[in-house]
Amino acid sequence: MLLTIEGIQILLQQPDITTVRGRRDLALLSLMYDAGARVQEIIDLNPAMLQLSRPAVIKIKGKGNKVRLVPMLDSQINHLKNY
């Protein structure tokens, strides 16, 4: 089952960004969506895999230890910084 764009927007509006947990949830959900990352790939991230300065990229290690560099949108950088 695929989510529509509207479904993704509704999902990303659910976290309560007035709380630390809500900001965390929004950062994780939006990162998964923007990077096309699986849960395990997000779990395996460490701070060294993020580059928030320009050009902002995230290094994702996938199945079979394949690595891909994914550019990050300004909105994603803001979510991470806010968290």
Side-chain angles (χ1 to χ4, degrees):
M1 182 173 159
L2 295 175
L3 284 176
T4 62
I5 297 290
E6 294 81 20
I8 296 291
Q9 290 171 338
I10 291 169
L11 180 68
L12 294 176
Q13 291 170 355
Q14 297 311 300
D16 178 2
I17 60 172
T18 64
T19 67
V20 174
R21 282 185 173 183
R23 290 188 296 273
R24 176 204 62 195
D25 293 348
L26 178 59
L28 290 172
L29 287 169
S30 61
L31 184 60
M32 289 176 64
Y33 176 71
D34 288 346
R38 293 185 289 282
V39 172
Q40 188 62 51
E41 293 170 337
I42 297 297
I43 291 170
D44 290 341
L45 287 177
N46 64 59
M49 299 168 99
L50 293 171
Q51 177 180 314
L52 298 181
S53 60
R54 302 245 183 242
V57 295
I58 184 170
K59 182 178 171 181
I60 297 179
K61 196 177 209 180
K63 290 182 178 178
N65 289 327
K66 294 179 183 174
V67 175
R68 66 186 191 275
L69 292 176
V70 180
M72 287 195 292
L73 301 171
D74 290 338
S75 60
Q76 180 59 50
I77 295 166
N78 290 335
H79 292 313
L80 290 170
K81 288 182 177 180
N82 286 336
Y83 170 58

